[in-house]
Amino acid sequence: SNVNKAQLTNHDEKYYQKVYNAIAKKLIDVDDYDYGSYAPLLVRLAWHNSGSYDQNDNSSTRGGSFAGTMRFKKEQGDPENAGLVKGMNYLQSIKDQFPDISHGDLYTLGGVVGIQEMNGPKISWRPGRVDLPIDVTPPYHRLPDASQSTGEYVRSVFTQRLGFTDQELVVLIGVGHAIGKCHTYNSGFDGPWTFSPTTVSNEFFKLLLSEDWKFKKWDGKKQYEDEGSHSLMMLPTDMVLKQDSDMKKWVEIYAKDEDRCMKDFADAFSKLLERGIKFDTPKMYFKTLEEQGL
Ligand code: DDH
């Protein structure tokens, strides 16, 4: 059947903590990305590597993070993946240092490092993804198109394809877009969603409710900006979270309760990284550099 079985690796939690530390230390040493941090890009890489999963696909792998196919130019060529090569190049020196780790494991672990080193919650993670050849590369257009503006569209990606509930899709999108920014050279959109784009938080939810969001006046793609500072943005798909009453309920809960938001995000992000994979091994948790005094 088309279930990807994670393989046992020759390494334990201590080894993967070393890989974690190498990725995290490089975040401090290499700062030539926006806001001086590659962490948001690593989170987006982990998400796009995993978000190509389709539970209705009858192929052998169904996409997702298992086969590490994001390493191929074919998958990198999906217009939605524009800009991710920079994240993979960032991780190449880690792959050189720890050659045994599969690409799927490396790209997902990069996302865990990104979240945790930006003060986010602990994300459980497991190794065992296996590099497979190029022919299992998933087709394009599975990752969401930000110009879409209906709840039906967002659920077609997150619920029908990826198997998430409204609660999970709201927390994934809102915490994911608390960090980083849009780049015109990647997506045609521009700007950050929050005032603290290198801190994992519930700020996206607060701003979505508190600010007055109007169409940005420019020649670029249709996007929203806040009337207060004109420096923040929302994508059409982000605005859906407020326009759809079932989704909005969760936006209100997460805006009020940051602890709940972080806990639910941790569960949903971990699930995202493991879509379509069967693991027989226990979950691993990693310490941040700060917790190790490094
Ligand atoms: Fe996203 N995202 N995302 N996103 N995303 C972009 C950037 C980042 C959509 C579109 C865009 C998630 C869901 C969606 C992050 C994390 C997550 C950009 C800009 C677009 C466009 C790219 C660029 O120009 O560089 C859409 C549409 C959706 C949707 O679900 C409907 C989710 C679920 C996550 C997550 O992590 C769980 C992050 C981080 C970034 C910032 C990257 C950066 O370079 O900074």
Side-chain angles (χ1 to χ4, degrees):
S1 72
N2 48 6
V3 170
N4 299 300
K5 267 199 83 185
Q7 278 183 12
L8 292 179
T9 73
N10 293 323
H11 300 293
D12 60 5
E13 190 159 340
K14 261 191 173 154
Y15 174 88
Y16 292 106
Q17 179 74 62
K18 281 189 198 147
V19 185
Y20 177 107
N21 289 357
I23 301 170
K25 278 192 179 140
K26 191 169 173 179
L27 287 176
I28 299 164
D29 297 340
V30 181
D31 62 0
D32 60 324
Y33 196 66
D34 296 277
Y35 313 113
S37 177
Y38 273 84
L41 181 59
L42 294 185
V43 174
R44 180 168 170 250
L45 173 59
W47 138 238
H48 279 219
N49 181 47
S50 309
S52 61
Y53 176 66
D54 183 351
Q55 60 186 2
N56 309 304
D57 182 345
N58 289 319
S59 75
S60 61
T61 64
R62 304 177 166 183
S65 68
F66 186 79
T69 47
M70 188 65 95
R71 73 189 188 281
F72 296 121
K73 285 213 165 65
K74 187 176 172 190
E75 186 161 337
Q76 293 160 13
D78 184 333
E80 298 301 347
N81 289 335
L84 293 181
V85 168
K86 249 188 188 160
M88 286 177 274
N89 289 343
Y90 175 95
L91 291 174
Q92 188 54 51
S93 66
I94 314 298
K95 176 74 179 152
D96 295 342
Q97 209 182 328
F98 302 93
D100 289 358
I101 195 169
S102 68
H103 286 87
D105 282 350
L106 181 63
Y107 299 154
T108 52
L109 185 56
V112 172
V113 174
I115 295 291
Q116 293 194 177
E117 294 298 313
M118 289 189 288
N119 270 316
K122 288 282 157 91
I123 308 291
S124 73
W125 180 87
R126 285 182 279 203
R129 295 167 190 77
V130 179
D131 281 1
L132 294 177
I134 193 164
D135 53 277
V136 303
T137 302
Y140 290 2
H141 305 304
R142 285 191 176 176
L143 291 154
D145 166 7
S147 296
Q148 300 289 326
S149 56
T150 65
E152 191 187 0
Y153 174 77
V154 174
R155 288 192 187 91
S156 75
V157 175
F158 279 88
T159 308
Q160 267 107 278
R161 202 174 288 158
L162 288 164
F164 287 113
T165 63
D166 278 1
Q167 177 238 315
E168 290 170 321
L169 74 86
V170 168
V171 83
L172 282 171
I173 296 170
V175 177
H177 288 172
I179 54 182
K181 72 182 285 276
C182 294
H183 308 80
T184 45
Y185 56 83
N186 286 338
S187 61
F189 296 99
D190 185 50
W193 292 266
T194 68
F195 293 110
S196 47
T198 58
T199 303
V200 175
S201 73
N202 67 341
E203 197 189 339
F204 172 102
F205 296 117
K206 291 184 181 169
L207 291 162
L208 184 61
L209 295 175
S210 66
E211 299 310 299
D212 203 1
W213 296 97
K214 295 275 160 61
F215 285 125
K216 180 181 169 78
K217 292 190 183 71
W218 73 328
D219 290 339
K221 288 185 176 175
K222 188 167 141 180
Q223 67 175 67
Y224 295 80
E225 74 176 11
D226 69 306
E227 282 279 277
S229 74
H230 297 275
S231 63
L232 302 179
M233 69 98 60
M234 287 287 165
L235 298 164
T237 45
D238 295 319
M239 292 301 285
V240 168
L241 305 186
K242 180 155 119 170
Q243 290 154 355
D244 182 287
S245 59
D246 291 315
M247 295 182 193
K248 192 181 177 196
K249 278 190 283 198
W250 290 106
V251 172
E252 286 167 341
I253 289 168
Y254 293 133
K256 280 199 204 97
D257 189 343
E258 182 155 50
D259 289 346
R260 172 90 196 265
C261 180
M262 291 302 116
K263 197 201 155 293
D264 289 355
F265 175 75
D267 292 344
F269 194 73
S270 181
K271 176 173 166 179
L272 172 67
L273 303 183
E274 298 192 350
R275 291 286 54 202
I277 308 171
K278 193 179 174 307
F279 289 88
D280 292 325
T281 49
K283 293 175 173 177
M284 295 182 177
Y285 290 91
F286 301 110
K287 293 193 167 77
T288 62
L289 290 184
E290 197 181 4
E291 285 169 334
Q292 299 168 83
L294 294 172

